[in-house]
Amino acid sequence: MTDVHDDLSDALPEVDPDLLELAGSVFADADATGTGLDTALWDNLEQTGLARLAVAEDAGGSGGTLLDLAAVLVEAGAYAARVPLAETDLACRAAAGAGLDVPAGPLTFALDRAGALAVAGDTVSGTLARVPWARSAAAVVVLTGGSVVVLDPAAATVVEGTNVAEEPRDTLTWDGARAAVAAAPEGAAGEFALRAALWRATLLAGAARGALARSVGYAGEREQFGRPIGRFQAIQQQLALAAAEVAAGGAAAESAARVVVRDGIAAPTAELAVASAKVRTGEAATAVARIAHQVHGAIGFTREHDLRLTTTRLWAWREEDGTDGQWAARIGELVLAAGPDGLWPLVTA
């Protein structure tokens, strides 16, 4: 029987190994232990063309593919990079789709499905909660109602907040602020919800890989009863379980990216693939974080230990851009809508 994942791999171009090597070296050299935006890393990403990798060249990007960015985001997650790579890509795509310009520098994106912002001509009022990286962004791109809005965070009242990984999640309030406003393309809200979930899944896949790598390294160094704990069968079994979760989550995220490239973000197959990837990487996040801390023992829970850089992101990111439960419910809706005759074609594409 032919494997579906193999079919997808054969049908689409592969990511350049040199790009992965570049991304790995850039993220490995960065300081992941601080809080807030890593400005040195962001400058390095801009100089190497990774900051806006999948943005078209005529829009100020590097013209890479969605698969390129997915692979780089996995590396960013593995090294707990303190930069808004996913948010900048979403912001650039939303603005470009509406014919709006964005400034240079790190950007952030918000999907205002609740209608928290009121748009009147070129002025905007309202409050957005938990906007990623807002305090450090050159602009906030918001998809609200039928409009795409580009706002200056400096014109807002900012209440700083964080997620459990201490990444910025700020509340912004604008009162009659001037903004660049344009009509959003039809279906943009659903599209960007999927894109955000896809990027979050790839970050989760990377963070799980990073947590496993730290755990394997620790098990090879920490000695108990005269030998490394990694030689004990119980530890080996737990690491094997974690490795299986990392592989499953990574395969789900990669497959979803490939389906999106092949079929387009608006295709039902793409929605099913992205929803499945977000659920599967969320499940992997729970299992891998638990096993990683069990292997490390009490030391792994301390703030001084670098394990928390990946595990806190696993806990935070599984709840962002849609929870496991929300995306699982969406999978159920897609299955019911396909019906008995459409389910198999939907799953196998």
Side-chain angles (χ1 to χ4, degrees), residues 30-344:
D31 175 20
T33 61
T35 59
L37 178 70
D38 185 344
T39 55
L41 174 57
W42 184 262
D43 290 343
N44 202 353
L45 292 173
E46 289 192 328
Q47 292 169 10
T48 55
L50 297 176
R52 301 189 183 191
L53 179 60
V55 176
E57 293 182 11
D58 58 7
S62 299
T65 69
L66 184 146
L67 294 179
D68 291 336
L69 179 56
V72 170
L73 285 174
V74 171
E75 296 293 324
Y79 288 101
R82 297 185 289 115
V83 287
L85 265 183
E87 291 81 3
T88 296
D89 178 76
L90 293 170
C92 288
R93 286 180 183 273
L100 298 174
D101 295 327
V102 289
L107 305 173
T108 191
F109 173 80
L111 180 57
D112 178 26
R113 284 190 144 170
L117 294 186
V119 181
D122 63 351
T123 62
V124 176
S125 299
T127 298
L128 290 177
R130 301 191 63 76
V131 179
W133 305 97
R135 74 191 69 164
S136 303
V140 181
V141 179
V142 185
L143 182 55
T144 178
S147 301
V148 175
V149 181
V150 180
L151 286 156
D152 182 358
T157 300
V158 180
V159 178
E160 295 186 355
T162 63
N163 62 15
V164 71
E166 297 184 316
E167 294 180 306
R169 298 293 186 266
D170 302 330
T171 297
L172 305 177
T173 300
W174 290 274
D175 185 8
R178 297 293 296 272
V181 182
E186 184 177 355
E191 170 188 335
F192 278 91
L194 286 174
R195 289 191 183 277
L198 174 59
W199 291 154
R200 193 63 60 189
T202 59
L203 287 166
L204 279 165
R209 194 185 76 185
L212 175 62
R214 285 174 168 84
S215 300
V216 171
Y218 179 78
E221 298 169 355
R222 176 75 167 91
E223 291 192 1
Q224 190 73 29
F225 305 112
R227 57 177 175 167
I229 63 172
R231 294 185 182 177
F232 290 95
Q233 187 176 20
I235 298 295
Q236 292 173 353
Q237 289 174 335
Q238 289 301 301
L239 290 174
L241 289 173
E245 291 293 323
V246 170
E254 180 186 352
S255 180
R258 291 181 177 276
V259 172
V260 168
V261 171
R262 186 193 64 189
D263 297 348
I265 192 70
T269 51
E271 185 171 11
L272 179 64
V274 171
S276 300
K278 187 60 169 68
V279 171
R280 192 62 190 87
T281 54
E283 291 175 345
T286 300
V288 172
R290 172 178 55 79
I291 292 171
H293 281 291
Q294 287 175 341
V295 169
H296 279 78
I299 188 175
F301 283 95
T302 62
R303 179 179 175 79
E304 291 77 12
H305 202 283
D306 65 0
L307 177 64
R308 56 111 183 160
L309 299 173
T310 49
T311 56
T312 55
R313 282 168 170 78
L314 289 173
W315 292 325
W317 291 345
R318 67 186 178 186
E319 303 299 320
E320 296 182 341
D321 297 308
T323 64
D324 295 357
Q326 290 169 330
W327 283 112
R330 184 56 187 151
I331 293 172
E333 293 170 355
L334 290 169
V335 168
L336 291 174
D341 295 330
L343 177 57
W344 185 247

